Amino acid sequence: MKIAFVGKGGSGKTTLSSLFIRHLASTGSPVVAVDADINQHLGAALGLDDVEAEALPAMGDRLPLIKDYLRGSNPRISSAETMIKTTPPGEGSRLLRVREDNPVYEACARPLELNGGAVRLMVTGPFTEADLGVACYHSKTGAVELCLNHLVDGQSEYVVVDMTAGSDSFASGMFTRFDMTFLVAEPTRKGISVYRQYKEYAHDFGVTLKVVGNKVHGQDDLDFLKSEVGDDLLVTVGHSDWVRAMEKGRPPRFEHLEDDNRRALHSLKAAADATYEQRDWERYTRQMVHFHLKNAQSWANERTGTDLAAQVDPAFVLREAETATA
């Protein structure tokens, strides 16, 4: 299952996504964790020290390798240089799977032993001083989108992405790449405003959206969230001494996480798992093509000097049964 955590800056989405990743790892599930936020904090939330977190290989710096591998022998793609973040797979493309070993994971993923399980951690890379004034952060997250477009994940396999804050996710088609989107909202007007914006933008694309109320202290906070988001409210999370210790770099054993918060994580996993039967690979592929053509027409044809509509394989539908090329 492909799962996104979104929310306004400071809402706690990175903390909650890291707890969810730890929970999945503790169940023995294979997990690929991706930090796609402009503020790269997921590695630290998963227990890396500052030196280890800074040493993580940036996907954005390895985009040529990613493109070259995913292109495979697809005859519709003249060169890896003409691939953009929305390029869809077709006959001959190489696909990614959660459990496999491949050159993309070898170059971009750091294996972590976490709570008795194994997690592959990937990061887009930070927005650096060299990028200021000359680059858009979405050029970095484009590596994530390209990988998600070529990813075939199965039941009880998980890809968890800590997305960039606010509504920036809508600057590309990446918001449609997930089976479940968890929006982390505080019980405040600002927290709810991001929910409303996300709900409105995602409405026409079949995005499954559930709200995780964070920093909820008492009945008044709970009543506020219920009145503002209704049935989209899945669970709420309050104060956690475990999280406080983790943020100080001294996390206790994960089994000591508070019972209420552990039950909340179980509910998140159950909600995500329930979307498996609703998967529509044809719609998923159709949306991929829609955003690719939109990007091609608005900027990419001119930049690459190529009609990128020709990259679309009209007979190809990404499915679980698909296998990567040799």
Side-chain angles (χ1 to χ4, degrees):
M1 312 303 296
K2 294 177 287 290
I3 300 160
F5 279 80
V6 301
K8 78 174 185 65
S11 64
K13 67 178 181 61
T14 297
T15 297
L16 283 169
S17 61
S18 72
L19 289 177
F20 186 61
I21 290 164
R22 288 176 183 272
H23 173 65
L24 293 175
S26 71
T27 67
S29 302
V31 183
V32 175
V34 183
D35 192 345
D37 195 352
I38 191 170
N39 297 306
Q40 302 267 281
H41 297 311
L42 184 59
L46 292 175
L48 299 184
D49 62 33
D50 291 343
V51 174
E52 291 171 324
E54 289 175 5
L56 291 170
M59 295 176 71
D61 294 341
R62 291 155 179 79
L63 193 53
L65 179 149
I66 293 171
K67 289 180 177 180
D68 188 63
Y69 178 75
L70 297 179
R71 177 191 172 211
S73 60
N74 187 334
R76 295 177 176 272
I77 302 175
S78 58
S79 68
E81 290 73 22
T82 64
M83 295 178 72
I84 61 173
K85 62 183 182 180
T86 54
T87 295
E91 188 68 31
S93 296
R94 290 192 180 97
L95 306 177
L96 301 176
R97 292 186 177 275
V98 173
R99 299 174 190 263
E100 71 180 2
D101 294 320
N102 59 56
V104 174
Y105 290 153
E106 183 179 343
C108 302
R110 159 83 184 270
L112 296 179
E113 293 296 322
L114 203 62
N115 306 111
V119 171
R120 282 179 166 135
L121 174 61
M122 304 172 74
V123 302
T124 59
F127 197 70
T128 65
E129 186 174 337
D131 296 320
L132 295 177
V134 297
C136 170
Y137 187 67
H138 299 104
S139 65
K140 296 179 181 292
T141 59
V144 181
E145 185 169 359
L146 193 59
C147 285
L148 290 176
N149 280 353
H150 290 73
L151 176 71
V152 181
D153 54 313
Q155 194 169 21
S156 301
E157 300 175 339
Y158 299 90
V159 178
V160 181
V161 182
D162 181 18
M163 297 280 277
T164 192
S167 57
D168 281 357
S169 305
F170 293 96
S172 74
M174 193 156 68
F175 73 97
T176 66
R177 302 296 84 198
F178 301 100
D179 298 291
M180 171 63 78
T181 297
F182 291 127
L183 189 145
V184 181
E186 300 169 88
T188 64
R189 291 174 63 188
K190 285 185 177 179
I192 295 305
S193 68
V194 174
Y195 159 75
R196 289 176 176 159
Q197 197 172 28
Y198 216 102
K199 180 84 169 177
E200 180 183 355
Y201 288 164
H203 179 266
D204 294 333
F205 293 93
V207 172
T208 302
L209 179 69
K210 289 295 181 182
V211 173
V212 181
N214 194 27
K215 305 177 186 178
V216 175
H217 305 291
Q219 190 63 41
D220 185 64
D221 285 349
L222 180 59
D223 291 343
F224 175 79
L225 285 173
K226 285 182 176 179
S227 67
E228 295 294 331
V229 309
D231 292 341
D232 284 341
L233 181 63
L234 179 63
V235 294
T236 62
V237 179
H239 174 76
S240 171
D241 289 333
W242 193 98
V243 169
R244 180 74 62 171
M246 180 268 288
E247 290 174 340
K248 292 177 181 177
R250 301 193 296 270
R253 292 171 64 88
F254 189 63
E255 55 262 34
H256 295 314
L257 181 71
E258 298 85 356
D259 288 343
D260 287 350
N261 293 329
R262 186 177 298 281
R263 284 193 291 271
L265 295 176
H266 277 284
S267 295
L268 295 184
K269 182 176 181 296
D273 288 344
T275 65
Y276 180 78
E277 298 301 331
Q278 303 166 19
R279 283 184 153 191
D280 185 342
W281 287 99
E282 291 188 357
R283 182 184 70 184
Y284 186 81
T285 306
R286 204 163 50 240
Q287 289 175 341
M288 200 187 306
V289 170
H290 166 79
F291 284 104
H292 179 63
L293 295 177
K294 192 173 182 180
N295 277 267
Q297 293 166 5
S298 64
W299 62 272
N301 283 348
E302 182 177 354
R303 184 173 300 181
T304 62
T306 304
D307 179 7
L308 297 181
Q311 292 182 341
V312 176
D313 184 343
F316 184 86
V317 176
L318 192 66
R319 299 184 187 279
E320 251 181 85
E322 296 292 344
T323 57
T325 65

